[in-house]
């Protein structure tokens, strides 16, 4: 199994600023993903973080707003830029470890409140 | 486009009951199906993963079944406990490799002591 940690666990930010979330996996994984979960909703995929290249974004999400880095097989960052109250959500890092079953694991989430 | 539906959206049962959560998907060509648990304000915990070639998986009081041809999966929880209270999410992986999971909206379970 893979254990995923995220920093920060929560933050309160002012409108117009940016927040960078770090995701660390305790083992090398094939794929890393970033999700958003708005209050009372299910998960929405933001992007797939690709090692050493640009992330693959889902419809409705753009690199200028959600820049993502993945410099190696165990670490990724998501930045949420130019924050607005609508960005208040839980942001979840996820990783898929090829263990023969391709189980997907999730971090504990980062709870963001934008004032 | 694959869509995943979970019924019911919410469920409240007394402690000790056996219960079934349902998940359906529109495209039967899946690689695997995974059940997750999410506690309020927390991340997701993987409960069970069923490969497309499998019919069921068991872990403790949990049993997940898969009927690919009919596009259905069930999560059976035996002898429910208040600690089982959480949101249960079903997700399918459409194919191997780079494809992201497709999630249902979840079933919010409350087990009353």
């Amino acid at each position: 199994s893979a254990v995923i940690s995220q920093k920060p666990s929560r933050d309160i930010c002012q409108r117009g600023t940016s927040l960078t979330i770090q995701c660390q996996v305790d083992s090398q994984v094939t794929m890393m993903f970033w999700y958003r979960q708005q209050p009372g909703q299910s998960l929405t995929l933001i992007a797939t973080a690709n090692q050493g290249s640009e992330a693959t974004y889902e419809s409705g999400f753009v690199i200028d707003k959600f820049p993502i880095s993945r410099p190696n097989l165990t670490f990724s960052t998501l930045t949420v830029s130019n924050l607005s109250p609508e960005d208040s959500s839980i942001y979840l890092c996820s990783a898929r470890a090829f263990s023969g079953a391709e189980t997907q694991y999730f971090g504990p989430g980062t709870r963001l409140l934008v004032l | 486009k694959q869509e995943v539906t979970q019924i019911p959206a919410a469920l409240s049962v007394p402690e000790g009951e056996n219960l079934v959560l349902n998940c359906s998907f529109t495209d039967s060509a899946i690689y695997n199906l995974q059940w997750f648990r999410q506690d309020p304000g927390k991340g997701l915990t993987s409960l069970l993963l069923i490969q497309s070639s499998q019919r069921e998986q068991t872990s403790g009081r949990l049993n997940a079944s898969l009927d690919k041809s009919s596009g259905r999966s069930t999560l059976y929880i035996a002898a429910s406990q208040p600690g089982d209270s959480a949101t249960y999410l079903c997700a399918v992986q459409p194919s191997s490799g780079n494809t992201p999971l497709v999630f249902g909206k979840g079933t919010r379970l409350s087990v009353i002591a």
Side-chain angles (χ1 to χ4, degrees), chain A residues 6-76:
Chain A
Q6 284 184 235
K7 288 194 297 187
S9 59
R10 59 178 61 222
D11 207 342
I12 301 173
C13 298
Q14 296 298 318
R15 183 193 299 255
T17 63
S18 299
L19 175 70
T20 295
I21 304 168
Q22 298 180 2
C23 175
Q24 180 73 54
V25 189
D26 70 343
S27 57
Q28 292 187 350
V29 292
T30 53
M31 303 184 69
M32 295 182 74
F33 306 92
W34 287 98
Y35 289 83
R36 180 173 74 183
Q37 187 175 33
Q38 294 178 306
Q41 303 297 312
S42 189
L43 281 72
T44 301
L45 180 65
I46 298 172
T48 301
N50 300 310
Q51 192 229 337
S53 65
E54 192 172 290
T56 304
Y57 290 86
E58 297 299 300
S59 175
F61 297 95
V62 295
I63 188 171
D64 290 346
K65 175 68 174 176
F66 299 98
I68 288 170
S69 77
R70 188 181 173 191
N72 57 50
L73 290 174
T74 63
F75 184 79
S76 177

Side-chain angles (χ1 to χ4, degrees), chain B residues 7 24 30 42 55 62-63 67 79 81 94 110:
Chain B
I7 294 173
S24 62
I30 65 170
K42 305 292 185 183
R55 297 299 297 269
L62 304 180
N63 176 277
D67 184 343
Q81 302 170 358
S110 297

Side-chain angles (χ1 to χ4, degrees), chain A residues 37 42 96 100 102-104 111, chain B residues 31 34 38 41 93 97 99 104:
Chain A
Q37 187 175 33
S42 189
R96 189 177 294 166
E102 296 194 47
T103 299
Q104 190 156 329
R111 186 185 291 266
Chain B
Y31 183 68
Q34 204 165 348
Q38 186 176 31
Q93 183 176 338
T99 55

Side-chain angles (χ1 to χ4, degrees), chain B residues 17-36:
Chain B
E17 269 203 12
N18 303 322
L19 59 99
V20 173
L21 306 181
N22 296 294
C23 172
S24 62
F25 44 95
T26 54
D27 187 345
S28 62
I30 65 170
Y31 183 68
N32 63 43
L33 182 145
Q34 204 165 348
W35 283 94
F36 294 89

Side-chain angles (χ1 to χ4, degrees), chain B residues 40-96:
Chain B
K42 305 292 185 183
L44 277 67
T45 300
S46 177
L47 297 174
L48 291 164
L49 179 144
I50 310 178
Q51 297 280 39
S52 61
S53 58
Q54 297 174 323
R55 297 299 297 269
E56 66 177 345
Q57 284 287 328
T58 298
S59 176
R61 294 183 293 109
L62 304 180
N63 176 277
S65 68
L66 174 63
D67 184 343
K68 225 176 60 159
S69 60
S70 68
R72 294 179 190 276
S73 175
T74 61
L75 179 66
Y76 175 84
I77 302 176
S80 59
Q81 302 170 358
D84 295 329
S85 298
T87 296
Y88 291 81
L89 292 151
C90 168
V92 300
Q93 183 176 338
S95 61
S96 65

